[in-house]
Amino acid sequence: MIKILIGEKGSGKTKALIESVNNAVSTAKGDIVFISCDTKRHMHDIAHEVRMVDTSGFALKSYDEFYGFLCGLISNNYDMSNVYIDSIFKIVGAQTDGLEKFFDDIEGLVKHYNISFLFTISMDAAKAPEYIKKYV
């Protein structure tokens, strides 16, 4: 499953994401991963059972690179069941160019590995393309 929390900056997306992460600790059937470009900011808000991954040291510049990064995480941990990704535009340094293909690729991971992904995207929901709206 892919789900997207979408809204303008300051609309409470990250807070809702963190709440979802912490709720998953008691219900997830596998390992939980939280990915952000600044995990230090959320270190004390997220349960200690959650693996936190800070992307800031990896110089990811495209959705293809980020997809490869995610595949590397999955290959290292087949017990992963939930992946939470905060501010994908900040992680990749891009807006929507390449995002549709990225979500198509993520769909393949969802089907093959039975992993749930929850993303936050900063944009006006009314202006979001259909390929984003279908996950909201």
Side-chain angles (χ1 to χ4, degrees):
M1 171 189 80
I2 297 174
K3 186 165 169 71
I4 297 174
L5 299 174
I6 190 170
E8 296 288 343
K9 182 176 173 138
S11 63
K13 297 176 303 297
T14 298
K15 183 178 178 181
L17 180 74
I18 290 170
E19 185 176 312
S20 183
V21 169
N22 289 330
N23 288 339
V25 169
S26 61
T27 60
K29 295 181 177 160
D31 294 339
I32 302 166
V33 178
F34 176 83
I35 302 171
S36 173
C37 60
D38 181 13
T39 57
K40 291 178 190 130
R41 203 173 99 204
H42 309 296
M43 189 179 303
H44 301 289
D45 300 325
I46 294 177
H48 71 276
E49 296 90 348
V50 176
R51 179 176 177 197
M52 297 179 70
V53 178
D54 190 327
T55 61
S56 63
F58 294 99
L60 300 168
K61 297 181 206 85
S62 71
Y63 289 108
D64 285 339
E65 288 179 9
F66 187 48
Y67 177 76
F69 181 83
L70 291 172
C71 288
L73 288 175
I74 293 167
S75 72
N76 189 46
N77 182 355
Y78 285 104
D79 295 329
M80 208 179 293
S81 63
N82 300 69
V83 178
Y84 297 86
I85 300 168
D86 190 30
S87 301
I88 189 167
F89 291 165
K90 287 182 184 176
I91 291 171
V92 177
Q95 292 290 314
T96 56
D97 288 344
L99 188 58
E100 184 172 13
K101 179 189 177 301
F102 174 77
F103 282 133
D104 288 343
D105 293 343
I106 295 297
E107 281 285 354
L109 295 178
V110 168
K111 290 175 185 162
H112 191 267
Y113 295 101
N114 196 30
I115 299 173
S116 294
F117 287 85
L118 179 57
F119 296 86
T120 63
I121 293 181
S122 290
M123 73 172 12
D124 182 351
K127 295 179 181 176
E130 285 303 316
Y131 68 85
I132 290 176
K133 287 181 182 178
K134 73 179 184 179
Y135 298 118
V136 175

PDB file of all heavy atoms in Angstrom, residues 52-75:
ATOM      1  N   MET A  52      15.575   4.690  12.307  1.00  0.00           N
ATOM      2  CA  MET A  52      15.578   6.018  11.691  1.00  0.00           C
ATOM      3  C   MET A  52      16.739   6.112  10.707  1.00  0.00           C
ATOM      4  O   MET A  52      17.870   5.756  11.046  1.00  0.00           O
ATOM      5  CB  MET A  52      15.662   7.093  12.764  1.00  0.00           C
ATOM      6  CG  MET A  52      14.449   7.081  13.678  1.00  0.00           C
ATOM      7  SD  MET A  52      14.515   8.327  14.970  1.00  0.00           S
ATOM      8  CE  MET A  52      14.288   9.798  14.030  1.00  0.00           C
ATOM      9  N   VAL A  53      16.440   6.581   9.506  1.00  0.00           N
ATOM     10  CA  VAL A  53      17.451   6.702   8.461  1.00  0.00           C
ATOM     11  C   VAL A  53      17.499   8.154   8.006  1.00  0.00           C
ATOM     12  O   VAL A  53      16.492   8.701   7.544  1.00  0.00           O
ATOM     13  CB  VAL A  53      17.135   5.778   7.260  1.00  0.00           C
ATOM     14  CG1 VAL A  53      18.172   5.952   6.164  1.00  0.00           C
ATOM     15  CG2 VAL A  53      17.039   4.325   7.703  1.00  0.00           C
ATOM     16  N   ASP A  54      18.669   8.756   8.130  1.00  0.00           N
ATOM     17  CA  ASP A  54      18.882  10.137   7.710  1.00  0.00           C
ATOM     18  C   ASP A  54      19.542  10.122   6.338  1.00  0.00           C
ATOM     19  O   ASP A  54      20.642   9.602   6.173  1.00  0.00           O
ATOM     20  CB  ASP A  54      19.777  10.847   8.722  1.00  0.00           C
ATOM     21  CG  ASP A  54      19.865  12.340   8.494  1.00  0.00           C
ATOM     22  OD1 ASP A  54      19.803  12.779   7.325  1.00  0.00           O
ATOM     23  OD2 ASP A  54      19.996  13.072   9.484  1.00  0.00           O
ATOM     24  N   THR A  55      18.877  10.696   5.346  1.00  0.00           N
ATOM     25  CA  THR A  55      19.384  10.666   3.968  1.00  0.00           C
ATOM     26  C   THR A  55      20.357  11.799   3.664  1.00  0.00           C
ATOM     27  O   THR A  55      20.946  11.820   2.585  1.00  0.00           O
ATOM     28  CB  THR A  55      18.229  10.743   2.954  1.00  0.00           C
ATOM     29  OG1 THR A  55      17.536  11.977   3.138  1.00  0.00           O
ATOM     30  CG2 THR A  55      17.279   9.574   3.110  1.00  0.00           C
ATOM     31  N   SER A  56      20.556  12.720   4.582  1.00  0.00           N
ATOM     32  CA  SER A  56      21.337  13.923   4.274  1.00  0.00           C
ATOM     33  C   SER A  56      22.782  13.621   3.877  1.00  0.00           C
ATOM     34  O   SER A  56      23.393  14.388   3.145  1.00  0.00           O
ATOM     35  CB  SER A  56      21.309  14.909   5.439  1.00  0.00           C
ATOM     36  OG  SER A  56      21.904  14.341   6.588  1.00  0.00           O
ATOM     37  N   GLY A  57      23.324  12.523   4.309  1.00  0.00           N
ATOM     38  CA  GLY A  57      24.704  12.196   3.981  1.00  0.00           C
ATOM     39  C   GLY A  57      24.886  11.411   2.699  1.00  0.00           C
ATOM     40  O   GLY A  57      26.006  11.035   2.348  1.00  0.00           O
ATOM     41  N   PHE A  58      23.803  11.157   1.969  1.00  0.00           N
ATOM     42  CA  PHE A  58      23.878  10.306   0.786  1.00  0.00           C
ATOM     43  C   PHE A  58      23.784  11.057  -0.535  1.00  0.00           C
ATOM     44  O   PHE A  58      23.878  10.450  -1.598  1.00  0.00           O
ATOM     45  CB  PHE A  58      22.803   9.223   0.841  1.00  0.00           C
ATOM     46  CG  PHE A  58      23.023   8.252   1.965  1.00  0.00           C
ATOM     47  CD1 PHE A  58      22.321   8.387   3.153  1.00  0.00           C
ATOM     48  CD2 PHE A  58      23.949   7.230   1.857  1.00  0.00           C
ATOM     49  CE1 PHE A  58      22.535   7.510   4.202  1.00  0.00           C
ATOM     50  CE2 PHE A  58      24.163   6.347   2.898  1.00  0.00           C
ATOM     51  CZ  PHE A  58      23.452   6.489   4.084  1.00  0.00           C
ATOM     52  N   ALA A  59      23.588  12.352  -0.512  1.00  0.00           N
ATOM     53  CA  ALA A  59      23.545  13.193  -1.727  1.00  0.00           C
ATOM     54  C   ALA A  59      22.632  12.616  -2.809  1.00  0.00           C
ATOM     55  O   ALA A  59      23.013  12.516  -3.974  1.00  0.00           O
ATOM     56  CB  ALA A  59      24.958  13.408  -2.274  1.00  0.00           C
ATOM     57  N   LEU A  60      21.427  12.260  -2.426  1.00  0.00           N
ATOM     58  CA  LEU A  60      20.451  11.748  -3.396  1.00  0.00           C
ATOM     59  C   LEU A  60      19.957  12.903  -4.255  1.00  0.00           C
ATOM     60  O   LEU A  60      19.535  13.931  -3.737  1.00  0.00           O
ATOM     61  CB  LEU A  60      19.286  11.082  -2.659  1.00  0.00           C
ATOM     62  CG  LEU A  60      19.689   9.901  -1.769  1.00  0.00           C
ATOM     63  CD1 LEU A  60      18.533   9.500  -0.875  1.00  0.00           C
ATOM     64  CD2 LEU A  60      20.166   8.744  -2.609  1.00  0.00           C
ATOM     65  N   LYS A  61      20.003  12.716  -5.580  1.00  0.00           N
ATOM     66  CA  LYS A  61      19.657  13.817  -6.490  1.00  0.00           C
ATOM     67  C   LYS A  61      18.498  13.507  -7.421  1.00  0.00           C
ATOM     68  O   LYS A  61      18.133  14.347  -8.233  1.00  0.00           O
ATOM     69  CB  LYS A  61      20.879  14.184  -7.330  1.00  0.00           C
ATOM     70  CG  LYS A  61      22.048  14.704  -6.531  1.00  0.00           C
ATOM     71  CD  LYS A  61      23.202  15.056  -7.455  1.00  0.00           C
ATOM     72  CE  LYS A  61      24.520  14.965  -6.765  1.00  0.00           C
ATOM     73  NZ  LYS A  61      25.123  13.655  -6.734  1.00  0.00           N
ATOM     74  N   SER A  62      17.951  12.310  -7.349  1.00  0.00           N
ATOM     75  CA  SER A  62      16.851  11.967  -8.257  1.00  0.00           C
ATOM     76  C   SER A  62      15.984  10.891  -7.613  1.00  0.00           C
ATOM     77  O   SER A  62      16.392  10.234  -6.645  1.00  0.00           O
ATOM     78  CB  SER A  62      17.390  11.454  -9.594  1.00  0.00           C
ATOM     79  OG  SER A  62      17.963  10.166  -9.433  1.00  0.00           O
ATOM     80  N   TYR A  63      14.806  10.718  -8.185  1.00  0.00           N
ATOM     81  CA  TYR A  63      13.922   9.664  -7.700  1.00  0.00           C
ATOM     82  C   TYR A  63      14.498   8.290  -8.000  1.00  0.00           C
ATOM     83  O   TYR A  63      14.314   7.354  -7.220  1.00  0.00           O
ATOM     84  CB  TYR A  63      12.519   9.827  -8.296  1.00  0.00           C
ATOM     85  CG  TYR A  63      11.804  11.022  -7.721  1.00  0.00           C
ATOM     86  CD1 TYR A  63      11.602  12.163  -8.474  1.00  0.00           C
ATOM     87  CD2 TYR A  63      11.364  11.017  -6.403  1.00  0.00           C
ATOM     88  CE1 TYR A  63      10.971  13.272  -7.934  1.00  0.00           C
ATOM     89  CE2 TYR A  63      10.728  12.117  -5.850  1.00  0.00           C
ATOM     90  CZ  TYR A  63      10.536  13.240  -6.624  1.00  0.00           C
ATOM     91  OH  TYR A  63       9.915  14.325  -6.079  1.00  0.00           O
ATOM     92  N   ASP A  64      15.234   8.144  -9.116  1.00  0.00           N
ATOM     93  CA  ASP A  64      15.874   6.863  -9.419  1.00  0.00           C
ATOM     94  C   ASP A  64      16.912   6.516  -8.348  1.00  0.00           C
ATOM     95  O   ASP A  64      17.000   5.359  -7.906  1.00  0.00           O
ATOM     96  CB  ASP A  64      16.546   6.894 -10.795  1.00  0.00           C
ATOM     97  CG  ASP A  64      15.547   6.810 -11.939  1.00  0.00           C
ATOM     98  OD1 ASP A  64      14.412   6.331 -11.710  1.00  0.00           O
ATOM     99  OD2 ASP A  64      15.906   7.218 -13.062  1.00  0.00           O
ATOM    100  N   GLU A  65      17.695   7.496  -7.936  1.00  0.00           N
ATOM    101  CA  GLU A  65      18.684   7.254  -6.885  1.00  0.00           C
ATOM    102  C   GLU A  65      18.004   6.894  -5.568  1.00  0.00           C
ATOM    103  O   GLU A  65      18.451   5.985  -4.856  1.00  0.00           O
ATOM    104  CB  GLU A  65      19.574   8.475  -6.691  1.00  0.00           C
ATOM    105  CG  GLU A  65      20.545   8.706  -7.818  1.00  0.00           C
ATOM    106  CD  GLU A  65      21.413   9.939  -7.618  1.00  0.00           C
ATOM    107  OE1 GLU A  65      21.389  10.547  -6.519  1.00  0.00           O
ATOM    108  OE2 GLU A  65      22.120  10.300  -8.570  1.00  0.00           O
ATOM    109  N   PHE A  66      16.925   7.572  -5.239  1.00  0.00           N
ATOM    110  CA  PHE A  66      16.215   7.281  -4.001  1.00  0.00           C
ATOM    111  C   PHE A  66      15.580   5.897  -4.055  1.00  0.00           C
ATOM    112  O   PHE A  66      15.580   5.164  -3.063  1.00  0.00           O
ATOM    113  CB  PHE A  66      15.170   8.363  -3.704  1.00  0.00           C
ATOM    114  CG  PHE A  66      14.516   8.220  -2.359  1.00  0.00           C
ATOM    115  CD1 PHE A  66      15.271   8.018  -1.201  1.00  0.00           C
ATOM    116  CD2 PHE A  66      13.145   8.297  -2.228  1.00  0.00           C
ATOM    117  CE1 PHE A  66      14.670   7.885   0.041  1.00  0.00           C
ATOM    118  CE2 PHE A  66      12.537   8.178  -0.991  1.00  0.00           C
ATOM    119  CZ  PHE A  66      13.294   7.961   0.143  1.00  0.00           C
ATOM    120  N   TYR A  67      15.069   5.510  -5.210  1.00  0.00           N
ATOM    121  CA  TYR A  67      14.516   4.163  -5.374  1.00  0.00           C
ATOM    122  C   TYR A  67      15.611   3.120  -5.114  1.00  0.00           C
ATOM    123  O   TYR A  67      15.392   2.139  -4.404  1.00  0.00           O
ATOM    124  CB  TYR A  67      13.915   3.994  -6.770  1.00  0.00           C
ATOM    125  CG  TYR A  67      13.396   2.604  -7.013  1.00  0.00           C
ATOM    126  CD1 TYR A  67      12.188   2.180  -6.459  1.00  0.00           C
ATOM    127  CD2 TYR A  67      14.118   1.702  -7.792  1.00  0.00           C
ATOM    128  CE1 TYR A  67      11.724   0.886  -6.667  1.00  0.00           C
ATOM    129  CE2 TYR A  67      13.651   0.425  -8.007  1.00  0.00           C
ATOM    130  CZ  TYR A  67      12.460   0.018  -7.434  1.00  0.00           C
ATOM    131  OH  TYR A  67      11.999  -1.259  -7.638  1.00  0.00           O
ATOM    132  N   GLY A  68      16.785   3.333  -5.675  1.00  0.00           N
ATOM    133  CA  GLY A  68      17.905   2.430  -5.423  1.00  0.00           C
ATOM    134  C   GLY A  68      18.274   2.373  -3.951  1.00  0.00           C
ATOM    135  O   GLY A  68      18.586   1.305  -3.412  1.00  0.00           O
ATOM    136  N   PHE A  69      18.233   3.522  -3.300  1.00  0.00           N
ATOM    137  CA  PHE A  69      18.494   3.609  -1.868  1.00  0.00           C
ATOM    138  C   PHE A  69      17.489   2.752  -1.094  1.00  0.00           C
ATOM    139  O   PHE A  69      17.870   1.978  -0.211  1.00  0.00           O
ATOM    140  CB  PHE A  69      18.403   5.080  -1.450  1.00  0.00           C
ATOM    141  CG  PHE A  69      18.675   5.355  -0.011  1.00  0.00           C
ATOM    142  CD1 PHE A  69      19.979   5.487   0.456  1.00  0.00           C
ATOM    143  CD2 PHE A  69      17.638   5.520   0.898  1.00  0.00           C
ATOM    144  CE1 PHE A  69      20.239   5.759   1.795  1.00  0.00           C
ATOM    145  CE2 PHE A  69      17.885   5.796   2.232  1.00  0.00           C
ATOM    146  CZ  PHE A  69      19.189   5.910   2.684  1.00  0.00           C
ATOM    147  N   LEU A  70      16.206   2.865  -1.446  1.00  0.00           N
ATOM    148  CA  LEU A  70      15.164   2.075  -0.782  1.00  0.00           C
ATOM    149  C   LEU A  70      15.370   0.581  -1.029  1.00  0.00           C
ATOM    150  O   LEU A  70      15.211  -0.231  -0.108  1.00  0.00           O
ATOM    151  CB  LEU A  70      13.778   2.503  -1.261  1.00  0.00           C
ATOM    152  CG  LEU A  70      13.319   3.889  -0.822  1.00  0.00           C
ATOM    153  CD1 LEU A  70      12.010   4.265  -1.517  1.00  0.00           C
ATOM    154  CD2 LEU A  70      13.161   3.955   0.685  1.00  0.00           C
ATOM    155  N   CYS A  71      15.735   0.218  -2.258  1.00  0.00           N
ATOM    156  CA  CYS A  71      15.993  -1.192  -2.566  1.00  0.00           C
ATOM    157  C   CYS A  71      17.156  -1.721  -1.719  1.00  0.00           C
ATOM    158  O   CYS A  71      17.113  -2.863  -1.251  1.00  0.00           O
ATOM    159  CB  CYS A  71      16.296  -1.374  -4.054  1.00  0.00           C
ATOM    160  SG  CYS A  71      14.848  -1.173  -5.102  1.00  0.00           S
ATOM    161  N   GLY A  72      18.165  -0.896  -1.507  1.00  0.00           N
ATOM    162  CA  GLY A  72      19.282  -1.285  -0.649  1.00  0.00           C
ATOM    163  C   GLY A  72      18.835  -1.534   0.782  1.00  0.00           C
ATOM    164  O   GLY A  72      19.268  -2.504   1.421  1.00  0.00           O
ATOM    165  N   LEU A  73      17.968  -0.681   1.291  1.00  0.00           N
ATOM    166  CA  LEU A  73      17.442  -0.883   2.648  1.00  0.00           C
ATOM    167  C   LEU A  73      16.655  -2.184   2.739  1.00  0.00           C
ATOM    168  O   LEU A  73      16.798  -2.946   3.702  1.00  0.00           O
ATOM    169  CB  LEU A  73      16.542   0.290   3.055  1.00  0.00           C
ATOM    170  CG  LEU A  73      17.217   1.609   3.365  1.00  0.00           C
ATOM    171  CD1 LEU A  73      16.163   2.690   3.623  1.00  0.00           C
ATOM    172  CD2 LEU A  73      18.137   1.491   4.564  1.00  0.00           C
ATOM    173  N   ILE A  74      15.830  -2.437   1.723  1.00  0.00           N
ATOM    174  CA  ILE A  74      15.008  -3.651   1.727  1.00  0.00           C
ATOM    175  C   ILE A  74      15.887  -4.896   1.624  1.00  0.00           C
ATOM    176  O   ILE A  74      15.653  -5.889   2.309  1.00  0.00           O
ATOM    177  CB  ILE A  74      13.965  -3.597   0.591  1.00  0.00           C
ATOM    178  CG1 ILE A  74      12.942  -2.486   0.875  1.00  0.00           C
ATOM    179  CG2 ILE A  74      13.263  -4.945   0.436  1.00  0.00           C
ATOM    180  CD1 ILE A  74      12.058  -2.132  -0.305  1.00  0.00           C
ATOM    181  N   SER A  75      16.914  -4.840   0.782  1.00  0.00           N
ATOM    182  CA  SER A  75      17.785  -6.009   0.628  1.00  0.00           C
ATOM    183  C   SER A  75      18.548  -6.310   1.915  1.00  0.00           C
ATOM    184  O   SER A  75      18.944  -7.451   2.160  1.00  0.00           O
ATOM    185  CB  SER A  75      18.765  -5.809  -0.524  1.00  0.00           C
ATOM    186  OG  SER A  75      19.755  -4.866  -0.194  1.00  0.00           O
TER     187      SER A  75
END
